[in-house]
Amino acid sequence: MNVYRKVMEMLAAGDSGVLVTLIKVEGSSPRTPGTKMLVIDGVVAVGTIGGGGLEQEMLRLAMEVLTSGEAKLVTYAEDGVDGLACGGRVSVFLEPLVADYRLFVVGYGHVGRVLAGLADDCGWQVTVLDDRKQAGETEGRFLLLENYDDPFAGLGVGKRDFLIIAGHSHEVDLQALRAALATSAGFIGLLGSKKKKAAFFSTLTREGIDEQQLARVVTPVGLDIGARTPAEIAVSIMAQLIEYQRGV
């Protein structure tokens, strides 16, 4: 149960890992079939399949599995090359566990509305945040805010989450940007001009936010495709999110 609890915590935080499970054991082995361990960032987060050379090899393979995104079934025997110190043969299943990408759009204006639809069509989990009651009331993905002091509170924003700030005023966007920088979001995008960027960064610098934090903000957000209309701007943003997601 500790392994499953850790898996849920990991995914909720937007992290990824590999679940390693002993499938079959023949002969002597320190663990029984069904034994699991969770590997996060190349180290054992919880559980063990017996330690020793087998476990070290699974840590190596876990990184390969996480990179490829494909599960792997491997067998290790007692032949002295890939075997167990105590003798025996085991089959091990390595399963990548990757948190879903989530997109949080602050603002349900012309750009935010189209962007939410595009992201939804691309299979992303989308949540729109706005304080205007009339905006998107019929949308299941809409979250009505009382204010923008901390729009991401309780959402568990993590590394695989993308935040796009496209509110209905500069004041809203600045408040949302402050809150965004307090999260561990993997991508923070701010809609606006270079002039807006300079003004916001100047204000945030005076408030004590350092250059390393400000460097997390992508602004003006969106690929430079000459976009002019709200729909074109939304397309440019979605394209940039996909580019970032795929590591292009």
Side-chain angles (χ1 to χ4, degrees):
M1 291 305 296
N2 287 337
V3 172
Y4 292 119
R5 187 177 299 111
K6 187 64 176 180
V7 167
M8 296 303 294
E9 291 175 357
M10 176 191 74
L11 295 177
D15 293 328
S16 303
V18 176
L19 184 62
V20 181
T21 306
L22 282 180
I23 300 299
K24 185 178 180 180
V25 176
E26 298 177 4
S28 178
S29 172
R31 296 292 176 180
T32 58
T35 301
K36 302 177 185 296
M37 74 176 185
L38 180 64
V39 178
I40 302 177
D41 292 330
V43 299
V44 178
V46 63
T48 177
I49 57 171
L54 172 65
E55 194 158 295
Q56 290 303 308
E57 179 64 8
M58 291 306 105
L59 290 177
R60 184 187 70 80
L61 288 177
M63 297 305 294
E64 293 183 4
V65 165
L66 193 58
T67 300
S68 69
E70 298 180 357
K72 179 177 290 188
L73 178 63
V74 295
T75 299
Y76 283 78
E78 57 177 5
D79 57 13
V81 178
D82 56 3
L84 306 171
C86 55
R89 179 188 299 267
V90 298
S91 294
V92 186
F93 185 65
L94 298 96
E95 177 185 7
L97 302 175
V98 181
D100 290 334
Y101 286 101
R102 298 189 300 175
L103 173 63
F104 295 94
V105 181
V106 176
Y108 205 52
H110 298 301
V111 173
R113 187 184 302 270
V114 178
L115 177 60
L118 287 172
D120 192 44
D121 289 341
C122 289
W124 289 38
Q125 292 187 36
V126 185
T127 301
V128 180
L129 305 97
D130 203 301
D131 65 346
R132 295 170 293 180
K133 292 182 179 180
Q134 74 278 9
E137 286 181 310
T138 61
E139 297 286 343
R141 60 179 176 238
F142 186 82
L143 179 61
L144 181 64
L145 300 175
E146 291 185 4
N147 56 61
Y148 291 90
D149 292 343
D150 192 358
F152 311 108
L155 297 177
V157 174
K159 298 176 183 177
R160 290 175 69 83
D161 292 327
F162 293 66
L163 312 182
I164 299 297
I165 300 171
H168 55 78
S169 71
H170 277 39
E171 180 183 3
V172 163
D173 285 353
L174 184 56
Q175 285 182 284
L177 185 56
R178 288 192 188 97
L181 288 170
T183 72
S184 57
F187 186 100
I188 300 173
L190 174 65
L191 182 66
S193 64
K194 293 180 180 179
K195 182 178 180 181
K196 178 179 178 180
K197 171 185 177 179
F200 277 24
F201 279 25
S202 177
T203 297
L204 294 172
T205 298
R206 290 197 301 270
E207 293 175 357
I209 296 179
D210 60 34
E211 291 185 5
Q212 186 175 3
Q213 277 287 78
L214 292 176
R216 299 173 59 202
V217 184
V218 178
T219 184
V221 67
L223 297 182
D224 186 5
I225 60 173
R228 295 181 180 179
T229 68
E232 290 173 347
I233 294 170
V235 168
S236 75
I237 296 172
M238 193 67 230
Q240 188 172 41
L241 297 183
I242 294 172
E243 179 183 61
Y244 186 90
Q245 173 195 6
R246 301 285 168 78
V248 177

